[in-house]
Amino acid sequence: MSELPGCPTDLPYCPPDLPRPATDPAGLRAATLAVRGGQYRSAFQETSEALYLTQGFVYDHAAEAEAAFAEDIERYTYSRYTNPTVTTFEERLALIEGAEDCYATATGMSAVFTAIAALVRSGSRIVSARELFGSTLVVLDDVLARWGVRTDYVTGTDLDQWAAALATPADVVFLESPSNPMQDVLDVPAIARLAHAAGAVVILDNVFATPVLQKPLELGADVVVYSATKHIDGQGRVMGGAVLGTREYVRGPLQSLMRTTGPTLAPFNAWVLAKGLETMPLRVRAQNAAALELAAWLEDRPGVASVRYPFLASHPQHDLARAQMSGGGTIVTFTLDGAASSSADVAARADVDRTFAFLDALRVIDISNNLGDAKSMVTHPATTTHRRVAPATRDALGIAPTTVRLSVGLEDVEDLREDLDGALQVFRATHARARQSVAP
Ligand SMILES: *Cc1c(COP(=O)(O)O)cnc(C)c1O
């Protein structure tokens, strides 16, 4: 909306000028753009971004409505199409990401779905990493499969599997890096090269890394999707999502699907998310620093079998993580000592119960399935986010009955450490009692 035409001479009236950006973004850095990008002050010269809580817009002349519908002039017509507050959020995020354009969506899942759906038709082929957010698996396997779109899965960290799958033409390649919850780090430049040679558009779900710690477009991805519900809000208030990519894609097939099917971001939510972006770089860096500290500390704790965190030397793709990301992220995944050798083992339920004793003993950290929040949260993936995943697949992904996903918030890191320490003591006592009771 910043490149508005002047008054077209062949119109019988002059459309009103739309405001110009309050700050010219040229040459400014991400933290500055997070605070100032995409703001359009109204005639009232307000300091904070205005909230345009309106469904529609009015026209001074009938001919102006005609020109707007004919797309002879660019202006706001209806908030299913777009709204000034939504524009602020979209422009701000696009500037931070370094993307040509952005389309805001009602949720992260509507971003995932529309980003893919805009690129496929019956007979299309998707190649995807197996390590995916649960609802994304359902979109691929149930929704798109019913419409004749086939998905072939590969183990995301295995480049040979990518090469074999992409020896055949494909329309879309989909991946998350780091993945949820086991934090596999995928070789984005190598996968993008294989994908492009196969004719595919690369879509990367960058929720775990955030716009602050990883720039997928620079690594070779074509499209980036976010659940803005996570770190972009970061304070547990509203749902939202975003799709970023070239202007040709965003304002072409994506916009036409979005405008007619309507998973639009509400102006109020856009306002909350635009304000969330102001503090996102600060919040993510602080949460990232605390997560690294807690991950390193957890590694030596009795009762903790293993820790998965991209910036720990023990991470299987540690060098790749250092090359692709400027921080390991705000989430630490760890697996407590357990007795079961697989999720199908008879001992698995007892392992789950002992892990529940750990979760229940936390007094600061909340049990929740969300992540990226200012409040620290723990999730038990095997019984919540990944409960629908078959036990054998959970084993293959490395999700044990004792695996815990910790989203590190903004509390004092010493309080979090003490909280985890206390809960680990409870876990060890429960674990020792269980072992005694089965001893001969
Ligand atoms: C949460 C999440 C989503 C879905 O976002 P919603 O806002 O809940 O719709 C997609 N991908 C990943 C990796 C997520 O963590």
Side-chain angles (χ1 to χ4, degrees):
M1 286 284 163
S2 51
E3 290 153 37
L4 288 168
C7 190
T9 47
D10 55 344
L11 289 177
Y13 66 93
C14 194
D17 287 338
L18 286 183
R20 311 213 61 78
T23 305
D24 175 3
L28 298 176
R29 292 165 181 80
T32 308
L33 296 167
V35 177
R36 297 189 164 271
Q39 183 173 13
Y40 293 81
R41 288 204 172 94
S42 78
F44 295 118
Q45 297 279 56
E46 63 282 354
T47 48
S48 176
E49 294 70 8
L51 167 51
Y52 293 95
L53 205 53
T54 181
Q55 297 167 339
F57 304 85
V58 298
Y59 309 88
D60 281 342
H61 306 268
E64 193 185 346
E66 181 186 28
F69 275 72
E71 294 181 18
D72 291 337
I73 58 166
E74 210 181 331
R75 56 153 287 164
Y76 292 96
T77 55
Y78 189 46
S79 286
R80 167 152 55 76
Y81 277 34
T82 188
N83 167 289
T85 311
V86 174
T87 302
T88 290
F89 170 65
E90 290 174 340
E91 282 197 17
R92 186 166 287 180
L93 184 57
L95 287 165
I96 296 169
E97 191 73 38
E100 276 182 19
D101 219 326
C102 170
Y103 210 105
T105 58
T107 62
M109 281 321 300
S110 50
V112 168
F113 174 68
T114 53
I116 301 171
L119 293 167
V120 296
R121 62 188 64 234
S122 171
S124 289
R125 176 170 179 258
I126 298 170
V127 177
S128 174
R130 210 183 303 281
E131 305 82 356
L132 288 184
F133 186 69
S135 299
T136 304
L137 283 170
V138 179
V139 164
L140 295 173
D141 291 344
D142 295 356
V143 183
L144 290 171
R146 271 195 280 126
W147 298 342
V149 176
R150 179 176 127 206
T151 302
D152 292 324
Y153 291 100
V154 299
T155 300
T157 50
D158 186 339
L159 279 181
D160 292 338
Q161 287 191 29
W162 283 108
L166 292 168
T168 315
D171 300 283
V172 169
V173 158
F174 193 93
L175 61 147
E176 289 173 24
S177 182
S179 68
N180 177 22
M182 294 316 293
Q183 315 241 37
D184 292 303
V185 176
L186 278 53
D187 189 336
V188 181
I191 295 164
R193 271 192 301 276
L194 291 166
H196 292 150
V201 175
V202 178
I203 306 177
L204 194 147
D205 181 333
N206 202 37
V207 162
F208 263 51
T210 80
V212 182
L213 302 175
Q214 178 167 267
K215 296 271 179 264
L217 300 175
E218 290 173 13
L219 296 173
D222 304 298
V223 176
V224 185
V225 293
Y226 286 107
S227 165
T229 315
K230 312 295 166 57
H231 304 81
I232 292 176
D233 177 349
Q235 291 150 87
R237 301 165 296 190
V238 300
M239 306 290 295
V243 184
L244 298 110
T246 62
R247 184 148 300 142
E248 190 188 356
Y249 163 74
V250 171
R251 297 297 152 192
L254 183 75
Q255 172 169 291
S256 90
L257 180 68
M258 283 293 308
R259 287 187 166 186
T260 43
T261 60
T264 313
L265 182 63
F268 178 78
N269 292 5
W271 183 83
V272 172
L273 294 170
K275 299 304 277 180
L277 285 175
E278 290 185 350
T279 55
M280 177 186 66
L282 264 179
R283 285 185 282 106
V284 167
R285 282 203 194 87
Q287 289 170 241
N288 173 72
L292 175 61
E293 204 178 320
L294 291 174
W297 174 79
L298 277 166
E299 247 187 344
D300 306 325
R301 283 306 96 192
V304 177
S306 62
V307 180
R308 270 296 188 98
Y309 185 73
F311 268 37
L312 284 185
S314 59
H315 190 282
Q317 297 96 32
H318 176 241
D319 292 340
L320 184 60
R322 292 252 173 203
Q324 291 186 168
M325 303 167 72
S326 60
T330 66
I331 293 140
V332 182
T333 306
F334 55 95
T335 298
L336 300 172
D337 288 339
S341 55
S342 84
S343 292
D345 197 322
V346 284
R349 188 65 221 185
D351 278 358
V352 167
D353 291 341
R354 283 191 284 277
T355 309
F356 282 5
F358 167 82
L359 298 183
D360 293 347
L362 294 164
R363 79 180 177 103
V364 176
I365 302 170
D366 292 311
I367 302 170
S368 177
N369 42 279
N370 207 0
L371 61 90
D373 204 274
K375 293 181 173 62
S376 294
M377 294 171 175
V378 281
T379 306
H380 185 249
T383 54
T384 60
T385 54
H386 290 68
R387 71 170 291 127
R388 276 184 300 182
V389 176
T393 311
R394 282 208 298 272
D395 288 345
L397 294 173
I399 305 170
T402 52
T403 297
V404 175
R405 188 187 75 192
L406 168 65
S407 171
V408 179
L410 286 173
E411 302 92 342
D412 190 308
V413 70
E414 291 312 322
D415 286 333
L416 298 178
R417 199 195 308 262
E418 283 172 21
D419 200 25
L420 291 164
D421 206 23
L424 279 171
Q425 283 172 31
V426 171
F427 171 77
R428 286 196 300 268
T430 315
H431 194 49
R433 255 201 317 279
R435 265 202 311 246
Q436 270 161 15
S437 68
V438 297

